[in-house]
Amino acid sequence: MNQMNIASVDLNLLKAFEALHDESSASRAALRLGVTQSAMSAALRRLRELYDDQLFVRTGRGLAPTLKANQLKPVVSDALNKCRQSLAMVAPDSADYRGRSVTVGLSDDFEIAYGRRLIEAVARRAPKLRLIFRQTHSQIVAEALLQRSVDLAISSGGFAQRMLSRQVLGEGHYLCLADPASLAPGQERMEIEEFVAREHLLVSSQGFIGITDEGLADLGLSRQVCASTTHFAALPFLLKGSQAVATIPAHAARSIAQFTGLQLLPCPLALPRYPIELGWRTSPQIDPLLLKVREAIVESFALTCSPPSGD
């Protein structure tokens, strides 16, 4: 289509496009929008004609977006969010956010420690809203926000970009986890000699070196890492029945210990503290719903996360 007039375009097709991109399935997209699968298939045909592109191609795992579809997604979602925002201006105190969602980027240590509390805090402010937790970390969080794959993000840094805003939620530090069966009866701490002698499990999104290795190197020491993983949720299964120890952020260590029975231990190293931050795209017009979710995040962290120190 060489010439296009928005007056001739059914804007409901944009909702169909967003659902197809999010769900990677015509049947799930139809269910999400409350239409028949044949109606969704018809919408996809019209979208292909409208944009002169296949947009979604069938694979063994559903529908995969084409390059053009991925380029269109942030533009389409931004337009739909502006429409949703305009409706919120009509009824800013609406008690029903059914059908709306907010995507929060975070690593699973934050999800483990704060996810449930965040769901409850958001439910009080925006009933029926769906929260979507999407995995990210400080190395990729800025790109995720700028590409609009997440609306808000919680990270230990990574927001140093002029088009992003950030707020410090608190300050993090480290604790250790071990299988209590591997410790002496009543043992509540581990000296540096035992710490170095044990095998270690490393949680890292990249590389072989972690903050613990840097701290040990300052003392002229090193450790043996027997395995590494990209997710904190795997730690209970990897630590149980082993002599290994894991040094991880305190918020995740406390939550994992509470639910798994692993032993929580102080870290024998003086590791640096780090800021925990909330980030979002800078905009002169903020969606009121995002403000509600931001307030819920700040509240959730204020309950347990220590504030930044003054030294």
Side-chain angles (χ1 to χ4, degrees), residues 82-109:
K82 287 290 193 298
C83 292
R84 294 167 182 138
Q85 184 176 346
S86 72
L87 296 175
M89 292 170 65
V90 176
D93 297 321
S94 170
D96 191 344
Y97 289 85
R98 190 187 311 272
R100 294 209 60 183
S101 64
V102 170
T103 302
V104 180
L106 71 177
S107 51
D108 72 326
D109 56 322

PDB file of all heavy atoms in Angstrom, residues 82-109:
ATOM      1  N   LYS A  82      -0.839   5.453  24.992  1.00  0.00           N
ATOM      2  CA  LYS A  82      -1.320   6.838  25.018  1.00  0.00           C
ATOM      3  C   LYS A  82      -2.847   6.860  25.037  1.00  0.00           C
ATOM      4  O   LYS A  82      -3.463   7.681  25.743  1.00  0.00           O
ATOM      5  CB  LYS A  82      -0.799   7.597  23.789  1.00  0.00           C
ATOM      6  CG  LYS A  82       0.691   7.931  23.827  1.00  0.00           C
ATOM      7  CD  LYS A  82       0.979   8.984  24.881  1.00  0.00           C
ATOM      8  CE  LYS A  82       2.372   9.557  24.730  1.00  0.00           C
ATOM      9  NZ  LYS A  82       3.435   8.573  24.908  1.00  0.00           N
ATOM     10  N   CYS A  83      -3.477   5.959  24.266  1.00  0.00           N
ATOM     11  CA  CYS A  83      -4.942   5.873  24.278  1.00  0.00           C
ATOM     12  C   CYS A  83      -5.433   5.447  25.660  1.00  0.00           C
ATOM     13  O   CYS A  83      -6.402   6.006  26.194  1.00  0.00           O
ATOM     14  CB  CYS A  83      -5.414   4.873  23.225  1.00  0.00           C
ATOM     15  SG  CYS A  83      -5.139   5.399  21.523  1.00  0.00           S
ATOM     16  N   ARG A  84      -4.757   4.449  26.247  1.00  0.00           N
ATOM     17  CA  ARG A  84      -5.146   3.999  27.589  1.00  0.00           C
ATOM     18  C   ARG A  84      -4.963   5.118  28.606  1.00  0.00           C
ATOM     19  O   ARG A  84      -5.768   5.292  29.517  1.00  0.00           O
ATOM     20  CB  ARG A  84      -4.309   2.770  27.972  1.00  0.00           C
ATOM     21  CG  ARG A  84      -4.601   1.543  27.113  1.00  0.00           C
ATOM     22  CD  ARG A  84      -3.567   0.466  27.308  1.00  0.00           C
ATOM     23  NE  ARG A  84      -3.821  -0.685  26.457  1.00  0.00           N
ATOM     24  CZ  ARG A  84      -2.889  -1.354  25.789  1.00  0.00           C
ATOM     25  NH1 ARG A  84      -1.619  -0.988  25.880  1.00  0.00           N
ATOM     26  NH2 ARG A  84      -3.203  -2.387  25.029  1.00  0.00           N
ATOM     27  N   GLN A  85      -3.890   5.885  28.423  1.00  0.00           N
ATOM     28  CA  GLN A  85      -3.630   6.984  29.336  1.00  0.00           C
ATOM     29  C   GLN A  85      -4.731   8.041  29.230  1.00  0.00           C
ATOM     30  O   GLN A  85      -5.152   8.622  30.229  1.00  0.00           O
ATOM     31  CB  GLN A  85      -2.274   7.615  29.023  1.00  0.00           C
ATOM     32  CG  GLN A  85      -1.855   8.715  29.981  1.00  0.00           C
ATOM     33  CD  GLN A  85      -0.459   9.237  29.672  1.00  0.00           C
ATOM     34  OE1 GLN A  85       0.286   8.617  28.921  1.00  0.00           O
ATOM     35  NE2 GLN A  85      -0.113  10.375  30.238  1.00  0.00           N
ATOM     36  N   SER A  86      -5.219   8.282  28.006  1.00  0.00           N
ATOM     37  CA  SER A  86      -6.288   9.273  27.827  1.00  0.00           C
ATOM     38  C   SER A  86      -7.561   8.837  28.539  1.00  0.00           C
ATOM     39  O   SER A  86      -8.287   9.668  29.102  1.00  0.00           O
ATOM     40  CB  SER A  86      -6.563   9.491  26.333  1.00  0.00           C
ATOM     41  OG  SER A  86      -7.227   8.368  25.763  1.00  0.00           O
ATOM     42  N   LEU A  87      -7.836   7.541  28.537  1.00  0.00           N
ATOM     43  CA  LEU A  87      -9.015   7.039  29.243  1.00  0.00           C
ATOM     44  C   LEU A  87      -8.841   7.182  30.745  1.00  0.00           C
ATOM     45  O   LEU A  87      -9.801   7.457  31.473  1.00  0.00           O
ATOM     46  CB  LEU A  87      -9.264   5.580  28.870  1.00  0.00           C
ATOM     47  CG  LEU A  87      -9.603   5.328  27.396  1.00  0.00           C
ATOM     48  CD1 LEU A  87      -9.717   3.836  27.126  1.00  0.00           C
ATOM     49  CD2 LEU A  87     -10.899   6.037  27.014  1.00  0.00           C
ATOM     50  N   ALA A  88      -7.599   6.984  31.216  1.00  0.00           N
ATOM     51  CA  ALA A  88      -7.335   7.144  32.651  1.00  0.00           C
ATOM     52  C   ALA A  88      -7.529   8.590  33.087  1.00  0.00           C
ATOM     53  O   ALA A  88      -7.890   8.866  34.236  1.00  0.00           O
ATOM     54  CB  ALA A  88      -5.915   6.690  32.967  1.00  0.00           C
ATOM     55  N   MET A  89      -7.321   9.549  32.156  1.00  0.00           N
ATOM     56  CA  MET A  89      -7.526  10.954  32.485  1.00  0.00           C
ATOM     57  C   MET A  89      -9.005  11.256  32.704  1.00  0.00           C
ATOM     58  O   MET A  89      -9.364  12.135  33.481  1.00  0.00           O
ATOM     59  CB  MET A  89      -6.970  11.839  31.364  1.00  0.00           C
ATOM     60  CG  MET A  89      -5.450  11.782  31.242  1.00  0.00           C
ATOM     61  SD  MET A  89      -4.836  12.602  29.754  1.00  0.00           S
ATOM     62  CE  MET A  89      -5.300  14.291  30.105  1.00  0.00           C
ATOM     63  N   VAL A  90      -9.877  10.499  32.027  1.00  0.00           N
ATOM     64  CA  VAL A  90     -11.316  10.689  32.184  1.00  0.00           C
ATOM     65  C   VAL A  90     -11.762  10.188  33.551  1.00  0.00           C
ATOM     66  O   VAL A  90     -12.603  10.789  34.220  1.00  0.00           O
ATOM     67  CB  VAL A  90     -12.089   9.958  31.066  1.00  0.00           C
ATOM     68  CG1 VAL A  90     -13.596  10.074  31.293  1.00  0.00           C
ATOM     69  CG2 VAL A  90     -11.705  10.524  29.715  1.00  0.00           C
ATOM     70  N   ALA A  91     -11.169   9.037  33.950  1.00  0.00           N
ATOM     71  CA  ALA A  91     -11.524   8.447  35.244  1.00  0.00           C
ATOM     72  C   ALA A  91     -10.249   8.067  35.986  1.00  0.00           C
ATOM     73  O   ALA A  91      -9.899   6.897  36.098  1.00  0.00           O
ATOM     74  CB  ALA A  91     -12.409   7.221  35.037  1.00  0.00           C
ATOM     75  N   PRO A  92      -9.504   9.066  36.481  1.00  0.00           N
ATOM     76  CA  PRO A  92      -8.202   8.798  37.111  1.00  0.00           C
ATOM     77  C   PRO A  92      -8.280   7.931  38.348  1.00  0.00           C
ATOM     78  O   PRO A  92      -7.318   7.299  38.731  1.00  0.00           O
ATOM     79  CB  PRO A  92      -7.662  10.199  37.448  1.00  0.00           C
ATOM     80  CG  PRO A  92      -8.889  11.062  37.515  1.00  0.00           C
ATOM     81  CD  PRO A  92      -9.843  10.497  36.511  1.00  0.00           C
ATOM     82  N   ASP A  93      -9.440   7.919  39.005  1.00  0.00           N
ATOM     83  CA  ASP A  93      -9.578   7.131  40.227  1.00  0.00           C
ATOM     84  C   ASP A  93     -10.354   5.844  39.990  1.00  0.00           C
ATOM     85  O   ASP A  93     -10.954   5.282  40.912  1.00  0.00           O
ATOM     86  CB  ASP A  93     -10.284   7.966  41.310  1.00  0.00           C
ATOM     87  CG  ASP A  93      -9.468   9.188  41.687  1.00  0.00           C
ATOM     88  OD1 ASP A  93      -8.233   9.065  41.756  1.00  0.00           O
ATOM     89  OD2 ASP A  93     -10.069  10.257  41.903  1.00  0.00           O
ATOM     90  N   SER A  94     -10.354   5.392  38.755  1.00  0.00           N
ATOM     91  CA  SER A  94     -11.056   4.140  38.439  1.00  0.00           C
ATOM     92  C   SER A  94     -10.535   3.010  39.300  1.00  0.00           C
ATOM     93  O   SER A  94      -9.331   2.880  39.533  1.00  0.00           O
ATOM     94  CB  SER A  94     -10.841   3.782  36.959  1.00  0.00           C
ATOM     95  OG  SER A  94     -11.320   2.481  36.693  1.00  0.00           O
ATOM     96  N   ALA A  95     -11.438   2.199  39.793  1.00  0.00           N
ATOM     97  CA  ALA A  95     -11.054   1.104  40.691  1.00  0.00           C
ATOM     98  C   ALA A  95     -10.840  -0.197  39.942  1.00  0.00           C
ATOM     99  O   ALA A  95     -10.672  -1.242  40.564  1.00  0.00           O
ATOM    100  CB  ALA A  95     -12.122   0.925  41.766  1.00  0.00           C
ATOM    101  N   ASP A  96     -10.854  -0.154  38.617  1.00  0.00           N
ATOM    102  CA  ASP A  96     -10.734  -1.389  37.840  1.00  0.00           C
ATOM    103  C   ASP A  96      -9.767  -1.177  36.685  1.00  0.00           C
ATOM    104  O   ASP A  96     -10.034  -0.397  35.776  1.00  0.00           O
ATOM    105  CB  ASP A  96     -12.106  -1.801  37.309  1.00  0.00           C
ATOM    106  CG  ASP A  96     -12.098  -3.210  36.724  1.00  0.00           C
ATOM    107  OD1 ASP A  96     -10.990  -3.742  36.463  1.00  0.00           O
ATOM    108  OD2 ASP A  96     -13.189  -3.779  36.532  1.00  0.00           O
ATOM    109  N   TYR A  97      -8.629  -1.871  36.730  1.00  0.00           N
ATOM    110  CA  TYR A  97      -7.624  -1.769  35.677  1.00  0.00           C
ATOM    111  C   TYR A  97      -7.577  -3.056  34.861  1.00  0.00           C
ATOM    112  O   TYR A  97      -6.544  -3.421  34.309  1.00  0.00           O
ATOM    113  CB  TYR A  97      -6.251  -1.465  36.282  1.00  0.00           C
ATOM    114  CG  TYR A  97      -6.154  -0.052  36.823  1.00  0.00           C
ATOM    115  CD1 TYR A  97      -6.593   0.239  38.110  1.00  0.00           C
ATOM    116  CD2 TYR A  97      -5.655   0.979  36.047  1.00  0.00           C
ATOM    117  CE1 TYR A  97      -6.521   1.530  38.610  1.00  0.00           C
ATOM    118  CE2 TYR A  97      -5.571   2.267  36.536  1.00  0.00           C
ATOM    119  CZ  TYR A  97      -6.012   2.546  37.821  1.00  0.00           C
ATOM    120  OH  TYR A  97      -5.938   3.832  38.306  1.00  0.00           O
ATOM    121  N   ARG A  98      -8.692  -3.744  34.787  1.00  0.00           N
ATOM    122  CA  ARG A  98      -8.773  -4.995  34.040  1.00  0.00           C
ATOM    123  C   ARG A  98      -8.328  -4.767  32.591  1.00  0.00           C
ATOM    124  O   ARG A  98      -8.726  -3.798  31.942  1.00  0.00           O
ATOM    125  CB  ARG A  98     -10.213  -5.505  34.063  1.00  0.00           C
ATOM    126  CG  ARG A  98     -10.388  -6.917  33.534  1.00  0.00           C
ATOM    127  CD  ARG A  98     -11.872  -7.253  33.447  1.00  0.00           C
ATOM    128  NE  ARG A  98     -12.574  -6.916  34.677  1.00  0.00           N
ATOM    129  CZ  ARG A  98     -12.694  -7.749  35.704  1.00  0.00           C
ATOM    130  NH1 ARG A  98     -12.160  -8.947  35.645  1.00  0.00           N
ATOM    131  NH2 ARG A  98     -13.348  -7.362  36.788  1.00  0.00           N
ATOM    132  N   GLY A  99      -7.506  -5.691  32.096  1.00  0.00           N
ATOM    133  CA  GLY A  99      -7.036  -5.599  30.721  1.00  0.00           C
ATOM    134  C   GLY A  99      -5.748  -4.822  30.549  1.00  0.00           C
ATOM    135  O   GLY A  99      -5.136  -4.860  29.480  1.00  0.00           O
ATOM    136  N   ARG A 100      -5.313  -4.108  31.577  1.00  0.00           N
ATOM    137  CA  ARG A 100      -4.070  -3.359  31.496  1.00  0.00           C
ATOM    138  C   ARG A 100      -2.947  -4.128  32.167  1.00  0.00           C
ATOM    139  O   ARG A 100      -3.170  -4.936  33.074  1.00  0.00           O
ATOM    140  CB  ARG A 100      -4.223  -1.984  32.143  1.00  0.00           C
ATOM    141  CG  ARG A 100      -5.188  -1.067  31.410  1.00  0.00           C
ATOM    142  CD  ARG A 100      -4.807   0.384  31.599  1.00  0.00           C
ATOM    143  NE  ARG A 100      -3.471   0.680  31.087  1.00  0.00           N
ATOM    144  CZ  ARG A 100      -2.885   1.876  31.197  1.00  0.00           C
ATOM    145  NH1 ARG A 100      -3.514   2.861  31.806  1.00  0.00           N
ATOM    146  NH2 ARG A 100      -1.669   2.083  30.716  1.00  0.00           N
ATOM    147  N   SER A 101      -1.741  -3.880  31.740  1.00  0.00           N
ATOM    148  CA  SER A 101      -0.575  -4.558  32.316  1.00  0.00           C
ATOM    149  C   SER A 101       0.594  -3.593  32.364  1.00  0.00           C
ATOM    150  O   SER A 101       0.659  -2.621  31.606  1.00  0.00           O
ATOM    151  CB  SER A 101      -0.199  -5.791  31.493  1.00  0.00           C
ATOM    152  OG  SER A 101       0.202  -5.422  30.180  1.00  0.00           O
ATOM    153  N   VAL A 102       1.506  -3.855  33.273  1.00  0.00           N
ATOM    154  CA  VAL A 102       2.763  -3.104  33.383  1.00  0.00           C
ATOM    155  C   VAL A 102       3.880  -4.128  33.494  1.00  0.00           C
ATOM    156  O   VAL A 102       3.805  -5.067  34.295  1.00  0.00           O
ATOM    157  CB  VAL A 102       2.766  -2.174  34.616  1.00  0.00           C
ATOM    158  CG1 VAL A 102       4.160  -1.594  34.855  1.00  0.00           C
ATOM    159  CG2 VAL A 102       1.755  -1.048  34.436  1.00  0.00           C
ATOM    160  N   THR A 103       4.909  -3.958  32.667  1.00  0.00           N
ATOM    161  CA  THR A 103       6.037  -4.886  32.659  1.00  0.00           C
ATOM    162  C   THR A 103       7.194  -4.308  33.459  1.00  0.00           C
ATOM    163  O   THR A 103       7.648  -3.190  33.189  1.00  0.00           O
ATOM    164  CB  THR A 103       6.497  -5.169  31.219  1.00  0.00           C
ATOM    165  OG1 THR A 103       5.406  -5.711  30.478  1.00  0.00           O
ATOM    166  CG2 THR A 103       7.649  -6.168  31.202  1.00  0.00           C
ATOM    167  N   VAL A 104       7.637  -5.064  34.446  1.00  0.00           N
ATOM    168  CA  VAL A 104       8.738  -4.642  35.313  1.00  0.00           C
ATOM    169  C   VAL A 104       9.945  -5.533  35.036  1.00  0.00           C
ATOM    170  O   VAL A 104       9.875  -6.756  35.172  1.00  0.00           O
ATOM    171  CB  VAL A 104       8.344  -4.737  36.801  1.00  0.00           C
ATOM    172  CG1 VAL A 104       9.507  -4.301  37.690  1.00  0.00           C
ATOM    173  CG2 VAL A 104       7.104  -3.895  37.085  1.00  0.00           C
ATOM    174  N   GLY A 105      11.040  -4.928  34.640  1.00  0.00           N
ATOM    175  CA  GLY A 105      12.280  -5.668  34.413  1.00  0.00           C
ATOM    176  C   GLY A 105      13.065  -5.778  35.709  1.00  0.00           C
ATOM    177  O   GLY A 105      13.238  -4.789  36.423  1.00  0.00           O
ATOM    178  N   LEU A 106      13.526  -6.971  36.022  1.00  0.00           N
ATOM    179  CA  LEU A 106      14.299  -7.204  37.237  1.00  0.00           C
ATOM    180  C   LEU A 106      14.953  -8.572  37.160  1.00  0.00           C
ATOM    181  O   LEU A 106      14.508  -9.439  36.407  1.00  0.00           O
ATOM    182  CB  LEU A 106      13.414  -7.110  38.487  1.00  0.00           C
ATOM    183  CG  LEU A 106      12.384  -8.206  38.792  1.00  0.00           C
ATOM    184  CD1 LEU A 106      11.690  -7.910  40.130  1.00  0.00           C
ATOM    185  CD2 LEU A 106      11.344  -8.391  37.726  1.00  0.00           C
ATOM    186  N   SER A 107      16.003  -8.768  37.923  1.00  0.00           N
ATOM    187  CA  SER A 107      16.623 -10.094  38.007  1.00  0.00           C
ATOM    188  C   SER A 107      15.887 -10.905  39.062  1.00  0.00           C
ATOM    189  O   SER A 107      15.156 -10.356  39.886  1.00  0.00           O
ATOM    190  CB  SER A 107      18.118  -9.978  38.333  1.00  0.00           C
ATOM    191  OG  SER A 107      18.317  -9.150  39.463  1.00  0.00           O
ATOM    192  N   ASP A 108      16.071 -12.221  39.042  1.00  0.00           N
ATOM    193  CA  ASP A 108      15.196 -13.039  39.888  1.00  0.00           C
ATOM    194  C   ASP A 108      15.524 -12.952  41.373  1.00  0.00           C
ATOM    195  O   ASP A 108      14.734 -13.400  42.198  1.00  0.00           O
ATOM    196  CB  ASP A 108      15.136 -14.487  39.406  1.00  0.00           C
ATOM    197  CG  ASP A 108      16.407 -15.272  39.656  1.00  0.00           C
ATOM    198  OD1 ASP A 108      17.499 -14.679  39.590  1.00  0.00           O
ATOM    199  OD2 ASP A 108      16.319 -16.493  39.889  1.00  0.00           O
ATOM    200  N   ASP A 109      16.664 -12.360  41.754  1.00  0.00           N
ATOM    201  CA  ASP A 109      16.881 -12.129  43.190  1.00  0.00           C
ATOM    202  C   ASP A 109      15.875 -11.118  43.731  1.00  0.00           C
ATOM    203  O   ASP A 109      15.318 -11.294  44.809  1.00  0.00           O
ATOM    204  CB  ASP A 109      18.321 -11.676  43.464  1.00  0.00           C
ATOM    205  CG  ASP A 109      18.719 -10.433  42.690  1.00  0.00           C
ATOM    206  OD1 ASP A 109      18.306 -10.306  41.522  1.00  0.00           O
ATOM    207  OD2 ASP A 109      19.452  -9.584  43.233  1.00  0.00           O
TER     208      ASP A 109
END
